[in-house]
Each structure stands twice: as C-alpha cells, then as structure tokens.
Amino acid sequence: MAQTPDIPPTAIEAAGQRLTIDAVPVGAVLAGAAALSAWGDGRLRIFRPDDPPEVIPLHRGAILSLALAPDGAILTGGDDGRFIRTRPDGVSETLAEFARKWVDHVAASATGALACSVGREVHLTEPSGFRQTFEHPSSVGGLAFDRKGKRLAVAHYGGVTVWSREARRWKPTSLKWAGSHMRVIWSPDDRFLMTAMQENALHGWRLRDKADLRMSGYPAKVAGLAWAGALPWLATTGAEAAILWPFDGMSGPMGRAPLQLCPGGPDLVTAVCTVPGREALFAGLSDGSVLFSEIGEEAEPALVRRGTGSPVTVIAASGSGRLFVADEGGGVLWVSLAGEGYQPVRATTT
C-alpha cells in the first residue's frame, strides 16, 4: 500500500492514543486491559485505557527479548546480560546475570519453567529449583516451549534441538536442515514445528516422522509468525501480502498453496497478529500502515492505520478488542476496537 498522507485519520486512529516514543519497539503482549511493551532504550512501557504509559526502567542497555509467563509476569532479556522477571504490579527481580554477554531470547512454559539463551547456551529453571544448561552447536536463534511445557525447541544453525523432559533429565533430539534457523514456533496441537530462516524461507518438521516442510520464495526474511483461526493457519510476514499456510489434516501444508491476505501493493508485510477467538488478523506494512482482514478467499482488507513511513514491527491484539501497534520510528497506536467508533476504511492498493 502506498503511503497516503492526505487521508484523514481512520475512525480507529481517532478513537485511540497516538504518540511517538524515542526508542525502537522490541515486542508487546496484552494482559487484561493493558499492553506491556519492551523497548530498545531498556524500558518496559505499560499502556492502560485512558492513561499515559507507565514507564519502568529495567535494563541498562537495550531490551532484546520479551515473553509473557502464565502467571502474568513479563520476562525480558537485555544486552546488559540480565534476565529479568517483572510481576503484573510492576515489581521486578533479576533471575540471572551474565557478565559481558547478551540475553538474546526468553521463554516461559505452562509448567512454570523459565528459559533464556546466552550465545550457544540455554539456561533453564524449573519451579522446583532444578536448573540446567543446554549447549548447542551455534548461537541460539529462537526458543519455544510446547503447549504442555514438556518440550523446549531451540533453533540454531543447522536445525532445531528439541529438549524433552523425562523423569530425571531433559533429553535432546535433533531436527536437521542446512541453514540458519531463527524464530521457532510449535503448531497449536504440537504436531508440527516451524522455523523462520535467514535464507528468506520457512522450514518445518512433522514431528511424528520428522518429514521436512519447505516453504521458499519469500522476497524478504520472515520476521513474524502467528497462528490464526481454528484450522489453524500459520500467518507469516516477508511478502507483499500476509501468507497463510494451512495446517489441518495429516500433512498440513505439504503440496498445498497458501492463502494470501492484506495485499500491500509495493509494500511488504512486516508484522502479523491474529485475533484470539476470531477468524481474522492484522497485518502491518513497511510503510507503517495496518490492515485488518477476516480469513477467507474473498475477504477484503480494511485500513486500520494510515502509513507513517516507518515499518510496523509490533502488533498485539486481544479477544476483547484491544489493539497495540508500534513502528520502527517509535510511533504507537493504542486503542479499543469496541464501540461505535470502529468503522474501518476499505484499503486500496496502487
């Protein structure tokens, strides 16, 4: 979608908070009526309805990673070498500190286990106090627990190592594929494991037989992965539209074409976010605009946010209608989609 500065604010923009923060957004999650966002200036900013953001200084450098724990706490890792847990009331504690190193990735499991990566190592702590360090062949590109919290997937160069919790220890299994694997995500039913690669592609495995899934042809690196709808669909960035791969049936997307939503014209989709409880998603574009679409072959996108000139990198949405958007320039939209003000403008492409 071409940037159109002459378009007036959409009804959604006009109804929400719009501000610019002098920092780069790292990530955001929604918890209740609040949006908790991590930033490159080392601060956690909490947005609540009708209030200015609460600013919590956490790290002495940039925040590099963010995750929401089942108890509502926020986990962050920073280039100051600290792994920090912040409770919903804003009280923070340092869980671990690694001198002169970066905490690149963090994750939390349904069982309460917490993990962070430092270079090639993953440090895991369980609620019982059990601690273990896992070593990998190269720097960790991403972490993800499965839905039961019994397996931890670690992406790195050459594939993924899956650590499985057994009676007395965690046992590794290797999933191999040449190349650098970055983000990693389990399918909602834990039957598939998918990674975004440095080589402008996705790769995955059907876990029952380790069959490979290869999705290539993206014009840019895939920076965002999100599960959408009941099918489910895997929504991805990295192309001129949001690319959704079907994961129903025994073979998922094998031999099938993806669904394409929210076409951006000459602009790439740089962020995707699904809507809990709805067959719908938001797509952020490289010009700063945001589109909304139901999931379907004939779905037409609606304009939620006009272009700003800075690529959208963070979108978070809740089933109750809260939406948080942030772009590389620090531009933020924080809004409730419920009520009479939700009348999106139909998008056009040029």
Side-chain angles (χ1 to χ4, degrees):
M1 168 171 295
Q3 188 175 359
T4 50
D6 55 323
I7 293 180
T10 66
I12 295 173
E13 286 182 278
Q17 295 183 37
R18 289 175 286 163
L19 65 157
T20 300
I21 294 172
D22 188 20
V24 176
V26 174
V29 294
L30 297 188
L36 301 97
S37 58
W39 294 79
D41 61 0
R43 291 170 169 80
L44 185 71
R45 290 176 171 87
I46 303 176
F47 291 78
R48 297 184 177 88
D50 306 318
D51 291 325
E54 176 186 357
V55 181
I56 302 176
L58 282 184
H59 293 267
R60 292 185 288 269
I63 297 177
L64 303 177
S65 51
L66 169 83
L68 179 65
D71 63 359
I74 293 293
L75 305 177
T76 55
D79 64 6
D80 58 355
R82 292 194 295 164
F83 180 29
I84 296 178
R85 176 180 180 271
T86 303
R87 299 189 326 218
D89 61 7
V91 176
S92 300
E93 62 173 323
T94 299
L95 301 175
E97 190 163 1
F98 306 90
R100 296 182 296 280
K101 295 182 179 181
W102 290 8
V103 178
D104 300 296
H105 305 282
V106 298
S109 80
T111 64
L114 307 178
C116 71
S117 69
V118 180
R120 298 183 178 189
E121 296 179 342
V122 171
H123 300 267
L124 181 138
T125 303
E126 297 185 67
S128 64
F130 175 84
R131 296 174 180 267
Q132 191 164 350
T133 299
F134 306 140
E135 187 79 24
H136 301 91
S138 66
S139 295
V140 173
L143 299 175
F145 284 100
D146 70 0
R147 59 177 172 161
K148 295 181 179 180
K150 298 297 185 180
R151 290 179 294 178
L152 173 63
V154 182
H156 47 73
Y157 188 86
V160 172
T161 300
V162 177
W163 295 88
S164 301
R165 186 68 166 102
E166 298 189 345
R168 296 184 179 180
R169 65 188 183 103
W170 290 75
K171 179 181 178 181
T173 301
S174 294
L175 300 172
K176 297 181 179 180
W177 188 260
S180 183
H181 298 260
M182 310 303 290
R183 291 167 175 80
V184 61
I185 189 171
W186 296 84
S187 64
D189 57 9
D190 290 339
R191 294 190 303 124
F192 298 90
L193 191 64
M194 301 299 302
T195 66
M197 298 188 67
Q198 189 73 16
E199 293 78 12
N200 293 9
L202 298 180
H203 194 81
W205 295 267
R206 184 173 59 191
L207 294 175
R208 67 179 177 85
D209 57 3
K210 296 187 180 181
D212 291 293
L213 287 73
R214 289 167 281 179
M215 293 91 139
S216 58
Y218 284 86
K221 292 179 179 60
V222 178
L225 304 170
W227 293 103
L231 188 72
W233 300 89
L234 179 60
T236 67
T237 66
E240 294 88 352
I243 306 299
L244 281 73
W245 297 95
F247 273 78
D248 57 330
M250 293 297 294
S251 299
M254 293 180 180
R256 302 164 69 184
L259 179 65
Q260 300 186 39
L261 299 177
C262 300
D267 297 297
L268 296 176
V269 173
T270 54
V272 288
C273 173
T274 57
V275 184
R278 289 191 63 177
E279 299 286 323
L281 63 78
F282 292 95
L285 304 184
S286 55
D287 73 340
S289 59
V290 176
L291 303 178
F292 169 85
S293 179
E294 303 288 345
I295 298 175
E297 292 284 353
E298 304 300 324
E300 295 185 7
L303 181 64
V304 172
R305 182 198 197 220
R306 300 164 301 162
T308 63
S310 293
V312 175
T313 54
V314 175
I315 307 178
S318 70
S320 62
R322 293 280 171 190
L323 174 67
F324 179 88
V325 177
D327 61 40
E328 282 186 1
V332 170
L333 171 64
W334 167 235
V335 65
S336 172
L337 305 182
E340 299 178 358
Y342 185 24
Q343 297 293 332
V345 178
R346 288 296 162 190
T348 58
T349 59
T350 58

